[in-house]
Amino acid sequence: MVNDSILNEEKGKLSKTIELLIKARGVLNKVVQRVGVENLDLLENLRNNPETSGTDFFVFMEKLSIQNTALNLKDKFLRLEELKYQLEEPYFARLDLKDSKKDHDETFYIGKFGFTDKYPVIIDWRAKIASIYYRYRYPQKKVKYESEYGTETLDLLLKRTFDIEKGKLLKFYNNDIKLDENEIIMDKIQKRTGGVLEDIVETIQKSQLDIIEADPRQVCIVQGCVGSGKSTVAIHKLAHIFFNFPKLIHPERTILIVKNQILVGYLSTLFPKLGIFNINYGTIKDLLVNLYFREALSIEINLDKANDSFLEYNIESIRKIEQEIYSMKSKLDEEIKKIFENPEYESYGGQKFDYNISALENINNNIEDLNDEIEIQEGFISDESISSYRKETHRMNIKTIKKLMTRLKKLSTDFKRTSLTTALLNINIETKKKLSYNEFLCYMYIFIELVGLSNFKKYEYCVIDEGQDFSALEYLVLGKLVLNGRFAIFGDLNQGFDNKNISDWSEILKVLDSSERSIFFELDTNYRSTKQIIELANNILSGFTKLYLPKSIDRNGEVPEVTRNNDVENEFLMKLETDSLNYNKSIGIIFYDSNLLNKFKLILEKTNVIKDRLIVLDETKRISYISSGIYLMNFESCKGLEFSKVYVFSKKISSNMTFNEAKKEFVAVTRAMNDLVVYYI
């Protein structure tokens, strides 16, 4: 039973907090308005437009920041964005803690963003002390957290969770040993609409927090079952990194890689809710195009051509490419040694060939050292205390060094002209034709190893979502574009149904340079779907594997409707029309066959009842997601998404269904949060 006096006390605290937030927003607004109302309106439009909310938004903001340096406009605008969310829900939890070294208890209110007036009013969920909320279910003595000074030990006296909507306190829970926190999770899930990604700041589980807090200076691989919150945890990890490692990893030097444009738009809906406003995100194809133009490559490419009949994707094939590169570097090493073996030049040699950097970088390092030597020799010549005879010797030395540099530059030019073509021909890639996607991946890897990147700055961190959908070759190239193996890779092997991609997480470590610094996590609980949907999904896969099948949190719902009939068109249309009138949450309609998808697309586009809510997912296009949308897609495009209700049009079950076919159906049915209808036709 809720104690009225405590409820009133908490309502008073909330009211005072909101007053402080409103005051802070007013002060910030007055400062920001100095850039002009027109500029602010344009910024707002760019922020709200999914087509321009990335690069265009930040280019314009950067321009305004340069024009108004004293304002520190960028930070102030981002703080206004945070305040907008805070006014809706300033905080979600309270901790009362006792420190034996102090004579009084301390109270902390935890929110998505921190807020300080004259004192800390709200603690950011990413702050070290906030981890107590996630790691301890109920009040107890000697709880621990890691501070900047080491491990701190306190007594947790009170753990309280709030339900606040639009600035109003609806209820609160005192979390004690009798409370099953799954009830709170289920309550939050019930309010979700699907169709857009929601943050999980209030319900992060200990297993998820371990991933979020894991040291970013290593390869982090997460095998997460369907509905375990992989994508959401990935973005929360980024928010946590930017808060706790601000000097090591910067948002503008971080990239989120996904398989297609559908996921690009879907995941980006969560960024502003967590205060992430200037991160890079896209597909590997986007990244390759960026590299192509930045390095001004002269070859022709066709990245829409994906399959190469001759090209293998396995580790053995990659080892052949690596061996070819090693061979080319070894030959160059010998050529450099031959030059310095000349008695005229041998006194200027001695630099060891570094096989960990590009071949040309080795030559350039030698040339840079020789330039330094010329400066030293010129210093001797300008020294008045040195005799004319010795000065003449130094002039002769400079001539010799310049001759040596000329030979090294010629070697560099010849190597650059021939090495790439030779290496590619040796692995059966013809550079005179347009290179396909996979051929260009090989080209870029060889280019980076032999020539090196001149105009591309490596990313400081990389998150990969749906990591099972990438090949070892793609990981090989990505490993050359990110500093020191700083990767977080999230995926589920049970959702990988392309044999050309990785089949085991260990394959990634075999192609990344920092494989010795890696950590593996497993998430095995589904928080998305009802118990009944999970049971159906596990039955689909259980005949093929017992690995990584999702566990349910026993959230009960309706038994999925399963119909084995070819003639379901009228029944489906009637159900969908009823849903469109009475269902204000998202609906996903998933087809195994593109022809069937196109057929229903034409039918539904003529249905006025759902016309404004109908969204067809296309892997090549960025999508604007809405919480009550009705989404059409094929099996390949639904991965990573979730919808409140799902209709699946699947093939009739046959006795010879393959593992990959079962995986596709498994993925499709697990998109559903609450309601599922399956038509086997």
Short mmCIF file of all heavy atoms in Angstrom, two decimals, residues 40-76:
data_model
loop_
_atom_site.label_atom_id
_atom_site.label_comp_id
_atom_site.label_asym_id
_atom_site.label_seq_id
_atom_site.Cartn_x
_atom_site.Cartn_y
_atom_site.Cartn_z
N LEU A 40 17.79 28.86 -35.68
CA LEU A 40 17.26 27.87 -34.75
C LEU A 40 16.15 27.04 -35.39
O LEU A 40 16.06 25.82 -35.19
CB LEU A 40 16.74 28.55 -33.48
CG LEU A 40 17.81 29.13 -32.55
CD1 LEU A 40 17.16 29.87 -31.39
CD2 LEU A 40 18.72 28.03 -32.02
N ASP A 41 15.30 27.70 -36.18
CA ASP A 41 14.24 26.98 -36.88
C ASP A 41 14.83 25.97 -37.87
O ASP A 41 14.35 24.84 -37.99
CB ASP A 41 13.32 27.95 -37.63
CG ASP A 41 12.41 28.73 -36.68
OD1 ASP A 41 12.29 28.30 -35.51
OD2 ASP A 41 11.86 29.76 -37.10
N LEU A 42 15.90 26.40 -38.56
CA LEU A 42 16.53 25.50 -39.52
C LEU A 42 17.18 24.31 -38.80
O LEU A 42 17.07 23.17 -39.26
CB LEU A 42 17.59 26.25 -40.34
CG LEU A 42 18.32 25.44 -41.43
CD1 LEU A 42 17.33 24.74 -42.36
CD2 LEU A 42 19.25 26.32 -42.22
N LEU A 43 17.82 24.57 -37.67
CA LEU A 43 18.39 23.48 -36.89
C LEU A 43 17.32 22.48 -36.46
O LEU A 43 17.52 21.27 -36.53
CB LEU A 43 19.09 24.04 -35.65
CG LEU A 43 20.56 24.44 -35.76
CD1 LEU A 43 21.03 25.05 -34.46
CD2 LEU A 43 21.43 23.25 -36.13
N GLU A 44 16.19 22.99 -36.03
CA GLU A 44 15.09 22.12 -35.58
C GLU A 44 14.57 21.27 -36.73
O GLU A 44 14.30 20.07 -36.58
CB GLU A 44 13.96 22.97 -34.99
CG GLU A 44 12.91 22.17 -34.23
CD GLU A 44 13.47 21.53 -32.97
OE1 GLU A 44 14.44 22.04 -32.41
OE2 GLU A 44 12.92 20.49 -32.56
N ASN A 45 14.44 21.89 -37.91
CA ASN A 45 13.97 21.15 -39.09
C ASN A 45 14.95 20.05 -39.49
O ASN A 45 14.56 18.94 -39.84
CB ASN A 45 13.74 22.10 -40.27
CG ASN A 45 12.54 23.01 -40.06
OD1 ASN A 45 11.63 22.65 -39.31
ND2 ASN A 45 12.55 24.18 -40.67
N LEU A 46 16.25 20.38 -39.45
CA LEU A 46 17.27 19.39 -39.80
C LEU A 46 17.27 18.24 -38.79
O LEU A 46 17.43 17.08 -39.16
CB LEU A 46 18.66 20.04 -39.83
CG LEU A 46 18.93 21.00 -40.99
CD1 LEU A 46 20.27 21.70 -40.79
CD2 LEU A 46 18.92 20.27 -42.33
N ARG A 47 17.08 18.56 -37.51
CA ARG A 47 17.05 17.53 -36.48
C ARG A 47 15.86 16.58 -36.66
O ARG A 47 15.97 15.37 -36.52
CB ARG A 47 16.99 18.19 -35.10
CG ARG A 47 16.43 17.36 -33.97
CD ARG A 47 17.16 16.05 -33.71
NE ARG A 47 18.52 16.25 -33.30
CZ ARG A 47 19.53 15.49 -33.67
NH1 ARG A 47 19.33 14.51 -34.52
NH2 ARG A 47 20.75 15.70 -33.25
N ASN A 48 14.71 17.13 -37.03
CA ASN A 48 13.49 16.32 -37.11
C ASN A 48 13.33 15.58 -38.43
O ASN A 48 12.47 14.71 -38.55
CB ASN A 48 12.25 17.20 -36.88
CG ASN A 48 12.21 17.74 -35.47
OD1 ASN A 48 12.69 17.11 -34.54
ND2 ASN A 48 11.65 18.93 -35.30
N ASN A 49 14.15 15.95 -39.43
CA ASN A 49 14.06 15.29 -40.74
C ASN A 49 15.02 14.11 -40.77
O ASN A 49 16.23 14.30 -40.69
CB ASN A 49 14.42 16.28 -41.85
CG ASN A 49 14.21 15.67 -43.24
OD1 ASN A 49 14.12 14.45 -43.40
ND2 ASN A 49 14.13 16.54 -44.23
N PRO A 50 14.52 12.84 -40.89
CA PRO A 50 15.40 11.68 -40.85
C PRO A 50 16.41 11.65 -41.97
O PRO A 50 17.45 11.02 -41.87
CB PRO A 50 14.44 10.49 -40.96
CG PRO A 50 13.20 11.05 -41.56
CD PRO A 50 13.11 12.46 -41.09
N GLU A 51 16.13 12.34 -43.07
CA GLU A 51 17.06 12.35 -44.20
C GLU A 51 18.25 13.28 -43.95
O GLU A 51 19.29 13.15 -44.58
CB GLU A 51 16.33 12.79 -45.48
CG GLU A 51 15.24 11.82 -45.94
CD GLU A 51 15.81 10.46 -46.28
OE1 GLU A 51 16.90 10.40 -46.86
OE2 GLU A 51 15.18 9.45 -45.97
N THR A 52 18.09 14.24 -43.02
CA THR A 52 19.16 15.22 -42.81
C THR A 52 19.62 15.29 -41.37
O THR A 52 20.41 16.15 -41.01
CB THR A 52 18.67 16.63 -43.23
OG1 THR A 52 17.52 16.97 -42.44
CG2 THR A 52 18.32 16.67 -44.70
N SER A 53 19.11 14.38 -40.52
CA SER A 53 19.41 14.48 -39.10
C SER A 53 20.82 14.06 -38.75
O SER A 53 21.23 14.16 -37.61
CB SER A 53 18.42 13.62 -38.30
OG SER A 53 18.53 12.26 -38.68
N GLY A 54 21.58 13.62 -39.71
CA GLY A 54 22.97 13.23 -39.46
C GLY A 54 23.93 14.30 -39.89
O GLY A 54 24.11 15.33 -39.24
N THR A 55 24.55 14.10 -41.05
CA THR A 55 25.62 14.97 -41.53
C THR A 55 25.18 16.42 -41.68
O THR A 55 25.84 17.34 -41.19
CB THR A 55 26.17 14.46 -42.87
OG1 THR A 55 26.58 13.10 -42.70
CG2 THR A 55 27.36 15.28 -43.31
N ASP A 56 24.08 16.67 -42.38
CA ASP A 56 23.64 18.03 -42.65
C ASP A 56 23.42 18.82 -41.36
O ASP A 56 23.78 19.99 -41.25
CB ASP A 56 22.34 18.03 -43.48
CG ASP A 56 22.57 17.54 -44.89
OD1 ASP A 56 23.75 17.39 -45.27
OD2 ASP A 56 21.59 17.29 -45.60
N PHE A 57 22.80 18.15 -40.38
CA PHE A 57 22.53 18.80 -39.10
C PHE A 57 23.82 19.27 -38.44
O PHE A 57 23.94 20.42 -38.00
CB PHE A 57 21.78 17.81 -38.20
CG PHE A 57 21.59 18.30 -36.78
CD1 PHE A 57 20.61 19.22 -36.47
CD2 PHE A 57 22.41 17.83 -35.77
CE1 PHE A 57 20.44 19.67 -35.17
CE2 PHE A 57 22.25 18.27 -34.47
CZ PHE A 57 21.25 19.18 -34.18
N PHE A 58 24.83 18.39 -38.42
CA PHE A 58 26.06 18.74 -37.72
C PHE A 58 26.96 19.67 -38.51
O PHE A 58 27.69 20.46 -37.93
CB PHE A 58 26.80 17.46 -37.31
CG PHE A 58 26.04 16.72 -36.24
CD1 PHE A 58 25.35 15.57 -36.54
CD2 PHE A 58 25.98 17.22 -34.96
CE1 PHE A 58 24.62 14.91 -35.57
CE2 PHE A 58 25.25 16.57 -33.98
CZ PHE A 58 24.57 15.42 -34.28
N VAL A 59 26.89 19.62 -39.82
CA VAL A 59 27.63 20.58 -40.64
C VAL A 59 27.12 21.99 -40.37
O VAL A 59 27.89 22.93 -40.17
CB VAL A 59 27.51 20.24 -42.14
CG1 VAL A 59 28.00 21.41 -43.00
CG2 VAL A 59 28.32 18.99 -42.47
N PHE A 60 25.79 22.13 -40.33
CA PHE A 60 25.21 23.45 -40.09
C PHE A 60 25.48 23.91 -38.66
O PHE A 60 25.81 25.08 -38.42
CB PHE A 60 23.70 23.41 -40.37
CG PHE A 60 23.04 24.77 -40.26
CD1 PHE A 60 23.39 25.79 -41.13
CD2 PHE A 60 22.08 25.01 -39.29
CE1 PHE A 60 22.78 27.04 -41.03
CE2 PHE A 60 21.48 26.26 -39.19
CZ PHE A 60 21.83 27.28 -40.06
N MET A 61 25.39 22.98 -37.70
CA MET A 61 25.66 23.35 -36.32
C MET A 61 27.12 23.77 -36.15
O MET A 61 27.42 24.75 -35.45
CB MET A 61 25.36 22.17 -35.37
CG MET A 61 25.60 22.53 -33.90
SD MET A 61 25.42 21.12 -32.80
CE MET A 61 23.66 20.98 -32.72
N GLU A 62 28.03 23.06 -36.82
CA GLU A 62 29.45 23.40 -36.75
C GLU A 62 29.69 24.79 -37.32
O GLU A 62 30.48 25.58 -36.79
CB GLU A 62 30.26 22.36 -37.52
CG GLU A 62 31.70 22.23 -37.08
CD GLU A 62 31.84 21.71 -35.66
OE1 GLU A 62 31.17 20.73 -35.30
OE2 GLU A 62 32.64 22.32 -34.92
N LYS A 63 28.99 25.09 -38.41
CA LYS A 63 29.11 26.41 -39.04
C LYS A 63 28.67 27.51 -38.08
O LYS A 63 29.35 28.53 -37.92
CB LYS A 63 28.27 26.44 -40.32
CG LYS A 63 28.36 27.75 -41.09
CD LYS A 63 27.48 27.68 -42.33
CE LYS A 63 27.48 29.01 -43.07
NZ LYS A 63 26.59 28.99 -44.26
N LEU A 64 27.54 27.29 -37.42
CA LEU A 64 27.06 28.27 -36.45
C LEU A 64 28.02 28.40 -35.27
O LEU A 64 28.24 29.49 -34.74
CB LEU A 64 25.67 27.87 -35.95
CG LEU A 64 24.50 28.07 -36.91
CD1 LEU A 64 23.20 27.63 -36.24
CD2 LEU A 64 24.38 29.52 -37.35
N SER A 65 28.58 27.26 -34.86
CA SER A 65 29.52 27.28 -33.73
C SER A 65 30.76 28.10 -34.05
O SER A 65 31.27 28.84 -33.20
CB SER A 65 29.93 25.85 -33.36
OG SER A 65 28.82 25.13 -32.88
N ILE A 66 31.26 27.98 -35.28
CA ILE A 66 32.43 28.75 -35.70
C ILE A 66 32.11 30.24 -35.70
O ILE A 66 32.91 31.07 -35.27
CB ILE A 66 32.90 28.29 -37.09
CG1 ILE A 66 33.45 26.85 -37.00
CG2 ILE A 66 33.96 29.22 -37.66
CD1 ILE A 66 33.70 26.21 -38.34
N GLN A 67 30.90 30.57 -36.17
CA GLN A 67 30.50 31.97 -36.24
C GLN A 67 30.24 32.55 -34.85
O GLN A 67 30.29 33.76 -34.65
CB GLN A 67 29.22 32.11 -37.09
CG GLN A 67 29.45 31.79 -38.57
CD GLN A 67 28.13 31.72 -39.33
OE1 GLN A 67 27.06 31.82 -38.75
NE2 GLN A 67 28.22 31.56 -40.64
N ASN A 68 29.94 31.67 -33.88
CA ASN A 68 29.61 32.14 -32.53
C ASN A 68 30.47 31.39 -31.51
O ASN A 68 29.96 30.73 -30.60
CB ASN A 68 28.12 31.89 -32.24
CG ASN A 68 27.22 32.59 -33.23
OD1 ASN A 68 26.82 33.72 -33.04
ND2 ASN A 68 26.89 31.90 -34.32
N THR A 69 31.77 31.50 -31.66
CA THR A 69 32.71 30.73 -30.86
C THR A 69 32.48 30.91 -29.36
O THR A 69 32.51 29.95 -28.59
CB THR A 69 34.16 31.13 -31.20
OG1 THR A 69 34.33 31.04 -32.61
CG2 THR A 69 35.15 30.21 -30.50
N ALA A 70 32.24 32.12 -28.95
CA ALA A 70 32.10 32.41 -27.52
C ALA A 70 30.90 31.71 -26.90
O ALA A 70 30.86 31.48 -25.69
CB ALA A 70 32.00 33.92 -27.31
N LEU A 71 29.90 31.37 -27.71
CA LEU A 71 28.68 30.76 -27.19
C LEU A 71 28.86 29.29 -26.82
O LEU A 71 28.08 28.74 -26.05
CB LEU A 71 27.55 30.85 -28.23
CG LEU A 71 26.88 32.20 -28.43
CD1 LEU A 71 25.81 32.08 -29.49
CD2 LEU A 71 26.28 32.69 -27.13
N ASN A 72 29.87 28.63 -27.42
CA ASN A 72 29.97 27.17 -27.30
C ASN A 72 28.61 26.57 -27.66
O ASN A 72 28.02 25.78 -26.92
CB ASN A 72 30.37 26.76 -25.88
CG ASN A 72 30.79 25.31 -25.80
OD1 ASN A 72 30.89 24.62 -26.81
ND2 ASN A 72 31.01 24.84 -24.58
N LEU A 73 28.12 26.99 -28.85
CA LEU A 73 26.75 26.70 -29.27
C LEU A 73 26.43 25.21 -29.29
O LEU A 73 25.34 24.79 -28.89
CB LEU A 73 26.50 27.30 -30.66
CG LEU A 73 25.12 27.04 -31.27
CD1 LEU A 73 24.05 27.71 -30.43
CD2 LEU A 73 25.07 27.53 -32.70
N LYS A 74 27.39 24.42 -29.77
CA LYS A 74 27.14 22.99 -29.92
C LYS A 74 26.72 22.36 -28.59
O LYS A 74 25.69 21.67 -28.51
CB LYS A 74 28.40 22.31 -30.46
CG LYS A 74 28.21 20.87 -30.86
CD LYS A 74 29.50 20.37 -31.51
CE LYS A 74 29.40 18.91 -31.86
NZ LYS A 74 30.64 18.40 -32.46
N ASP A 75 27.49 22.61 -27.53
CA ASP A 75 27.16 22.03 -26.23
C ASP A 75 25.83 22.55 -25.69
O ASP A 75 25.06 21.80 -25.09
CB ASP A 75 28.27 22.34 -25.22
CG ASP A 75 29.52 21.51 -25.47
OD1 ASP A 75 29.43 20.53 -26.23
OD2 ASP A 75 30.58 21.86 -24.92
N LYS A 76 25.56 23.82 -25.94
CA LYS A 76 24.32 24.40 -25.43
C LYS A 76 23.10 23.84 -26.15
O LYS A 76 22.06 23.57 -25.54
CB LYS A 76 24.36 25.93 -25.54
CG LYS A 76 25.30 26.57 -24.53
CD LYS A 76 25.31 28.06 -24.61
CE LYS A 76 26.07 28.68 -23.43
NZ LYS A 76 27.45 28.22 -23.32
#
